[in-house]
Amino acid sequence: MGSLSARQWLILLSVQFTTILFGLTATSVTVILPQLKGALSATQDQISWVLTFNLVATAIATPLTGWLAATLGWRTLMVCSVVGFTGASMLCGLVDSLETMLALRVAQGAFGAPIFPMGQTILLASFHRSQHPFIIMMWGVGGVMGPILGPTFGGLVSELLSWRWTFFLILPLGAIAALTVILALTDREKGTAPRFDLVGFVFIGLAIAGAQLMFDRGQRNDWFQSPEIIAECIAAVVFSIMFAIHMATAPAPIFQPALFRDRNFVVGTALVLVMGMLQYTPMVLFPPLLQELMGYPEAMIGYLVAARGLGNLASFCVVAQLTRFNPRLCLCLGLGIQAVAGLWMGSLGITLTTQDVMWSNILHGFGFGLCYTPMAVLSFSTLPVPLMTQGNALFSLIRMLGSSIFVSLTLVVFAHSTAEASVSLASSVTLFTRDLLGPWIAMFGDPGGRDVLARLASEIQRQASMIGYINAFHLLTLVPLATAPLALLFVVNRASSR
């Protein structure tokens, strides 16, 4: 691998910083969701929309990346994305209603959509294939700083100031990111855009929106007993089919069919969906668990959730070497470690300790870090350079879609499991079990006291909620185990991995 020029280091620095900005903003919000729930008078599933609507908007806007890059050029597109993303983040700190927050989070996701795929495209196009394992690893170091700094930043700022300043303080970071982009990039690819595929964009946008609304609102509306959910499911299926037909027949579709003739890229899209599923879920589940069931302060929650980023960072000590040695083995190892971490999280109880949370998150982050670099290198190792921008846009779309849908699914599992456990636990407290449960009930006061029933009901709900979280964590074991065999379908291009 040859040495890097000063220009290449500047490009790497600018891409890293914009990626940090994107990751920090996304992960800092996960810590303040419990505060937002109270401030915006939202339920548990409604407040999750603050995250999922942002992810969906990012996914829907991502297909525009290739066309926008070819129309505006790299530098102009990245500057516009960073400025719009930062501005929408600032405005989020001013809202007083859930509806306004959701609208601004959608705008934030739409503006931020090009940041991640363009970052990876710029790096893959600016460096030789032999440098890709090192460059992806270095970019990953910057990428995981967001998950490390985000929860810590969100927890500290919300505790010392308020949740609003978590959004306000994005402004100086956005200004620095925009400056590095202006200095490092040129308007490469400007003016090379084909005619925009509006029909394809509308089809894929409606398909994604229908699927996400179905998963977000299904639990509340009793799933397919609701005409709304049936309509959303039909829309998701019909528009997905229409998009596939349009892509195969249109002269200049938003995604070239040649992408799907590349075996490694097709396998990679399946695995990046899984990466998306595993990326945000622990950061969504742990903050409400720790605050509402355990009473942890926001700053402590931020430190514990940030431990996942430390695991990511530790993985970069070995991932480049393992990727060069055997990328498929490295990928399988990373998925296996994430499955073990999910099993650990699923074994936690109501008496969990800070060490349990910290080390299980570190292990999960370590496994995720071992997965992403070999997956990205293998997926793009055989893809022609002209398809890189579209390929990275599709990669980012699939990853975001996996995150948003899986967050919704885990919350469905949580709500359903909690409701079942609550009924089961409450039904076990009867006159016939009074003697058996007497010592436990006595913990809440005199069994004949007026407030003991309220305290007992509160504890039953607390225990039921913990069961709900445990069942949701079990999905983090099942998903990587089920998909690990896909790694064996990659074709290893030895010439490009050295």
Side-chain angles (χ1 to χ4, degrees), residues 41-171:
S41 302
T43 63
Q44 180 72 21
D45 61 335
Q46 286 174 333
I47 205 61
S48 72
W49 297 347
V50 172
L51 180 62
T52 58
F53 274 40
N54 177 265
L55 295 173
V56 170
T58 304
I60 292 175
T62 295
L64 293 170
T65 300
W67 181 81
L68 287 172
T71 301
L72 303 175
W74 286 0
R75 179 167 59 190
T76 302
L77 174 57
M78 289 292 278
V79 170
C80 290
S81 293
V82 169
V83 171
F85 180 82
T86 303
S89 300
M90 280 281 297
L91 293 175
C92 284
L94 301 174
V95 306
D96 290 309
S97 70
L98 179 64
E99 293 79 10
T100 307
M101 173 64 80
L102 294 178
L104 287 171
R105 288 287 287 172
V106 167
Q108 186 190 54
F111 276 111
I115 291 176
F116 195 90
M118 278 305 302
Q120 188 162 311
T121 296
I122 290 166
L123 293 181
L124 292 175
S126 302
F127 297 86
H128 189 267
R129 286 189 187 272
S130 63
Q131 298 172 318
H132 285 179
F134 172 75
I135 292 303
I136 293 294
M137 182 269 291
M138 287 296 295
W139 175 53
V141 171
V144 302
M145 292 307 293
I148 291 175
L149 297 174
T152 306
F153 172 82
L156 282 173
V157 171
S158 62
E159 187 169 310
L160 296 176
L161 299 171
S162 79
W163 61 266
R164 297 182 186 277
W165 281 94
T166 305
F167 295 106
F168 292 153
L169 291 178
I170 298 298
L171 178 60

Side-chain angles (χ1 to χ4, degrees), residues 258-282:
L259 287 169
F260 303 96
R261 291 195 286 268
D262 187 289
R263 173 175 169 173
N264 275 12
F265 184 79
V266 171
V267 176
T269 56
L271 281 165
V272 81
L273 178 72
V274 176
M275 294 293 100
M277 289 179 173
L278 301 173
Q279 184 173 15
Y280 286 110
T281 304

Side-chain angles (χ1 to χ4, degrees), residues 424-440:
S424 178
L425 291 173
S427 64
S428 67
V429 182
T430 68
L431 289 174
F432 300 102
T433 59
R434 183 177 57 186
D435 294 338
L436 179 63
L437 299 176
W440 184 68

Side-chain angles (χ1 to χ4, degrees), residues 129 262 264 376-383 388 491-493 496:
R129 286 189 187 272
D262 187 289
N264 275 12
V377 169
L378 287 169
S379 299
F380 290 91
S381 63
T382 56
L383 196 67
M388 285 288 186
V491 176
V492 179
N493 186 350
S496 64

Side-chain angles (χ1 to χ4, degrees), residues 394-475:
L394 182 59
F395 237 50
S396 184
L397 183 157
I398 297 295
R399 183 175 61 87
M400 291 297 178
L401 189 61
S403 295
S404 61
I405 289 179
F406 198 65
V407 166
S408 297
L409 283 175
T410 53
L411 291 176
V412 167
V413 170
F414 164 75
H416 186 72
S417 300
T418 299
E420 283 193 344
S422 180
V423 171
S424 178
L425 291 173
S427 64
S428 67
V429 182
T430 68
L431 289 174
F432 300 102
T433 59
R434 183 177 57 186
D435 294 338
L436 179 63
L437 299 176
W440 184 68
I441 295 175
M443 295 171 57
F444 302 96
D446 181 4
R450 298 180 59 183
D451 64 336
V452 70
L453 289 179
R455 297 183 63 188
L456 182 60
S458 176
E459 181 62 21
I460 287 174
Q461 185 59 39
R462 181 169 172 261
Q463 297 284 346
S465 295
M466 190 68 218
I467 293 172
Y469 283 116
I470 289 171
N471 288 340
F473 284 132
H474 284 321
L475 295 178

Side-chain angles (χ1 to χ4, degrees), residues 22-32 146-151 280 283 305:
F22 185 82
L24 182 146
T25 306
T27 55
S28 64
V29 172
T30 62
V31 178
I32 64 172
I148 291 175
L149 297 174
Y280 286 110
M283 292 185 284
V305 175

Side-chain angles (χ1 to χ4, degrees), residues 16 39 75 82 124 142 153 179 230 253 257 275 372 389 421 468 481 490:
Q16 278 185 323
R75 179 167 59 190
V82 169
L124 292 175
F153 172 82
L179 179 61
I230 294 173
M275 294 293 100
Y372 197 87
T389 301
L481 284 180
F490 279 118

